[in-house]
Amino acid sequence: MSYYGGNFWRARWSTWRDARAGRTAQANGRWGFLRPPGERGPVLWLQTYADAEELQLALELVRAITDKRRDLRVALTFEKEPENLAQMAAGIPRLGLGFGPCDHPAALRRSLERLRPLRAMTVGGRVRPGWRRQLSRSGVSALAVASEPEAAHPASAGAAPWEAVYPRSRGQWQRWQAQGLDGARLQEPVDFASLITIAQVEPNFRSLALGSRSEALFWVTGVEARDLPAWMEAWQSWPQHREALLFLESRASLGSLPTLSNWDRSPLAPGSILWVDSPRWRPALAAAATAIHAEELSPALTWQLFAGGRPCSVAPTLELELPTTTDLTSVLARPADRAGVLAHWMAMWQDAHQARERGDALRRLFWQVRRDAGERLPELLQRVFDW
């Protein structure tokens, strides 16, 4: 991972490595050699970080912003470029994309001098102290959407040039409040990621995977690559595995596992294990699975699972970050180990009524959060329009 903090020598070292590898755009961006898109109109500098899901959210917000404010140019910076960035940003007018600066004062001052933004905005990630300080010194007001406050002493955020902060969860709201942000700028929690969740999926994945068989289909997401062998062993030791399919999602795979993207769409053999190699499979799996278990969750993945309306379980130590205070204890299982997960799956498989009730409760929460986000988005867009 490239370095984007405020240490001069570490940033210089990353820049040297990028330049040697031919990553000129990343090397230049790290030190603030940015250009605004187009020729005329005020500029919004939108800062994202290294998370592809947060970048997707930022792009969809930009899509809505540029539709509302037709004279605004947007310079969107990031720290890691996804392979499908051009596809993600297709059709957004007056948008400039590029690698952003590190948190060193010289890089940030140069970025502000070259962009001369009307406003700044951060989406996701954690607010960096240097970025906040330079905005404050330059008199540039800022918005924060789904971003964590900087890790600093209390009240530091209260001195920052925040026009408004939109936390994505109750927990995030409390962390901003603890940093001294007043109620006029700290908005009620809202998770705009729910608006870009694929909620309607053609139910053909299950029939393709199982053919005419009435078997079960299970999905585990957020698995560490080192834990894949243990999941495979637990699955193969489970007496019911010959009547079901297992899909394991992790960042890296074992060479022995067949990949879902290489699947030829013919019915899979009972007991098969496939590696989920891309997030694009998530909507289909969420709608088709008999039950789902999550070892890790991002906001986007949380809403994708809940939108599928299937019974879910999560790791016992996993903390859900939700914008509501809804108690999910009765509908979201927390098995202690893999054996507990398999036992939960068996219970959901055998009790279709309970499985449906649990899945429906999660889906209702998703639609509640999505409706609230849809009602709150015009407020954010109007704020941009009034600049």
Side-chain angles (χ1 to χ4, degrees):
M1 179 71 69
S2 292
Y3 179 75
Y4 279 92
N7 183 283
F8 176 82
W9 293 111
R10 290 188 64 187
R12 292 290 292 180
W13 172 250
S14 285
T15 302
W16 178 78
R17 292 181 63 189
D18 286 338
R20 282 199 64 184
R23 298 187 292 266
T24 307
Q26 192 165 6
N28 290 339
R30 183 178 286 103
W31 288 101
F33 291 98
L34 311 178
R35 289 185 301 174
E39 297 179 357
R40 310 177 75 175
V43 173
L44 167 65
W45 178 15
L46 198 158
Q47 171 86 331
T48 66
Y49 302 90
D51 187 283
E53 292 178 353
E54 292 173 350
L55 178 56
Q56 179 70 69
L57 173 59
L59 286 166
E60 295 308 317
L61 289 174
V62 170
R63 197 182 302 276
I65 286 170
T66 53
D67 185 61
K68 179 75 173 181
R69 180 77 185 259
R70 299 300 179 91
D71 66 328
L72 193 66
R73 297 179 289 163
V74 179
L76 191 155
T77 56
F78 47 79
E79 296 173 2
K80 185 177 180 180
E81 181 177 2
E83 293 180 0
N84 61 336
L85 179 60
Q87 179 182 348
M88 293 166 64
I92 303 179
R94 304 180 302 283
L95 171 66
L97 296 164
F99 286 97
C102 66
D103 207 43
H104 191 273
L108 294 165
R109 284 195 299 268
R110 184 178 291 114
S111 299
L112 289 167
E113 289 168 1
R114 293 171 71 94
L115 294 177
R116 299 188 178 278
L118 173 67
R119 292 290 195 282
M121 182 173 175
T122 174
V123 175
R126 181 180 294 277
V127 174
R128 296 223 168 96
W131 188 79
R132 179 190 60 79
R133 284 194 296 268
Q134 291 303 319
L135 290 179
S136 183
R137 290 169 182 169
S138 301
V140 177
S141 296
L143 302 177
V145 175
S147 294
E148 288 290 332
E150 61 182 274
H153 58 277
S156 66
W162 300 115
E163 179 179 323
V165 172
Y166 294 84
R168 65 174 176 83
S169 68
R170 285 285 162 191
Q172 196 172 83
W173 185 91
Q174 292 169 354
R175 290 187 287 276
W176 276 101
Q177 186 185 51
Q179 295 240 340
L181 202 65
D182 61 58
R185 290 177 289 178
L186 182 57
Q187 311 301 306
E188 282 299 304
V190 56
D191 198 339
F192 293 118
S194 62
L195 293 175
I196 60 175
T197 301
I198 300 174
Q200 305 294 336
V201 181
E202 289 294 328
N204 56 4
F205 183 90
R206 186 181 181 86
S207 60
L208 287 171
L210 294 173
S212 59
R213 306 193 310 270
S214 57
E215 297 172 354
L217 187 157
F218 300 108
W219 172 29
V220 184
T221 183
V223 182
E224 293 286 345
R226 65 175 180 270
D227 293 333
L228 287 173
W231 275 104
M232 295 169 64
E233 181 180 355
W235 174 256
Q236 290 161 354
S237 300
W238 190 39
Q240 285 74 31
H241 84 278
R242 286 295 181 187
E243 303 172 39
L245 302 175
L246 177 62
F247 295 85
L248 293 174
E249 182 178 3
S250 63
R251 291 187 178 89
S253 175
L254 298 176
S256 59
L257 278 180
T259 301
L260 186 51
S261 290
N262 294 331
W263 172 42
D264 63 2
R265 308 303 192 270
S266 62
L268 296 163
S272 294
I273 305 175
L274 272 75
W275 177 53
V276 182
D277 59 316
S278 170
R280 68 187 178 91
W281 293 105
R282 290 174 176 175
L285 286 166
T290 305
I292 303 164
H293 179 71
E295 291 285 291
E296 292 182 358
L297 280 176
S298 64
L301 180 55
T302 299
W303 301 126
Q304 192 64 72
L305 297 192
F306 289 9
R310 310 307 301 159
C312 296
S313 60
V314 298
T317 57
L318 192 63
E319 293 187 14
L320 289 181
E321 289 275 345
L322 303 175
T324 72
T325 57
T326 306
D327 184 4
L328 298 178
T329 304
S330 62
V331 296
L332 193 65
R334 291 181 175 272
D337 51 25
R338 296 177 190 89
V341 173
L342 296 171
H344 173 69
W345 287 352
M346 191 64 190
M348 294 298 99
W349 192 1
Q350 292 179 332
D351 191 342
H353 176 71
Q354 185 185 23
R356 185 163 51 251
E357 283 191 338
R358 291 186 176 214
D360 287 349
L362 297 178
R363 182 158 47 196
R364 283 194 299 272
L365 175 59
F366 160 72
W367 283 108
Q368 173 191 337
V369 170
R370 187 178 179 123
R371 281 192 297 270
D372 180 61
E375 292 169 359
R376 299 281 302 282
L377 182 59
E379 167 196 328
L380 172 62
L381 299 180
Q382 188 61 44
R383 185 183 296 275
V384 174
F385 185 80
D386 292 340
W387 288 342

